């Protein structure tokens, strides 16, 4: 998952959150979107789920849910679900919609973002060009701060720099108009950093 120039590839960013001691996400069981937590710690933890229903035409959510709870140790638990009927109340054409899943365990400094589809293949999703732009807005001693903007939903945003290093976030769904992240080069230089951005729409 890391190339010969020590640049993490997509797989690195796609799976690194799976090594968190607490993981939260969703799966589809034909009639419901089920949200679950896997807790591999030896103690209970408080968690937060924030969920946003979108279609692909806008960065404005159609509906939002928020759920808090406690996950018991060494367990995988379905914590709640949303029915297909409930989803259709807010998005009639479900094949054009998806749910953004934000999961957080503050005590462990864990925060992940993912997306889930209500029973449809990702290949069936019609995407519009997102018009992504990227800009380095601040240079620190060992890293740079990057501002990323989009006009529409951008799935699996991928950032590449002109030198080896690690992004604080990469290969992620972007459903907000603007966000900030960091790039930490292996070695800071005057040439750092030129950033290129693409998304699923480009591939």
């Amino acid at each position: 998952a890391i190339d010969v120039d020590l640049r993490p590839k997509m797989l690195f960013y796609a799976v690194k959150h799976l090594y968190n001691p607490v993981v939260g996400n969703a799966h589809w069981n034909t009639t419901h979107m089920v949200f679950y937590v896997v807790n591999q710690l030896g103690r209970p933890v408080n968690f937060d789920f924030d969920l946003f229903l979108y279609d692909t035409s806008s960065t404005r959510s159609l509906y939002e849910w928020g759920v808090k709870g406690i996950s018991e140790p060494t367990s995988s638990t379905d914590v709640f679900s949303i029915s297909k009927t409930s989803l259709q109340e807010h998005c009639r054409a479900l094949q054009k919609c998806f749910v953004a899943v934000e999961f957080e365990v503050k005590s462990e400094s864990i925060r992940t973002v993912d997306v889930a589809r209500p029973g449809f293949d990702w290949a069936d999703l019609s995407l519009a060009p997102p018009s992504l732009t990227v800009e380095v807005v601040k240079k620190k001693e060992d890293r740079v701060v990057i501002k990323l903007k989009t006009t529409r939903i951008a799935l699996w945003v991928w950032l590449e720099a002109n030198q080896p290093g690690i992004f604080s976030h990469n290969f992620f769904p972007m459903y907000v108009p603007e966000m900030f992240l960091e790039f930490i080069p292996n070695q800071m230089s005057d040439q750092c950093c030129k950033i290129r951005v693409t998304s699923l729409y480009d591939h």
Side-chain angles (χ1 to χ4, degrees), residues 128-134 148-154 174 177 197 199 201-202:
S131 300
L132 281 161
T133 61
V134 62
L148 196 59
K149 298 178 72 173
T150 185
T151 55
R152 296 186 181 92
I153 299 295
M174 184 171 176
V197 59
S199 71
Y201 180 83
D202 302 301

Side-chain angles (χ1 to χ4, degrees), residues 48-52 65-68 99-104 175:
D48 293 87
F49 267 114
D50 289 307
L51 314 165
F52 306 87
W65 297 264
V67 176
K68 298 178 182 291
V99 176
V101 182
E102 297 184 2
F103 177 74
E104 187 170 20
Y175 45 86

Side-chain angles (χ1 to χ4, degrees), residues 126-143:
S126 177
L127 294 172
S131 300
L132 281 161
T133 61
V134 62
E135 177 187 3
V136 174
V137 294
K138 184 183 291 187
K139 184 177 284 190
K140 300 182 179 179
E141 185 178 345
D142 64 340
R143 67 194 63 197

Side-chain angles (χ1 to χ4, degrees), residues 23-24 27 40-41 45 59 65 77 86 89 99 102 132 168-169 172 174 182:
V23 175
H27 64 87
Q40 300 182 76
L41 290 171
V45 292
T59 54
W65 297 264
T77 310
S86 296
E89 289 177 3
V99 176
E102 297 184 2
L132 281 161
S168 56
H169 300 86
F172 57 86
M174 184 171 176
E182 293 183 329

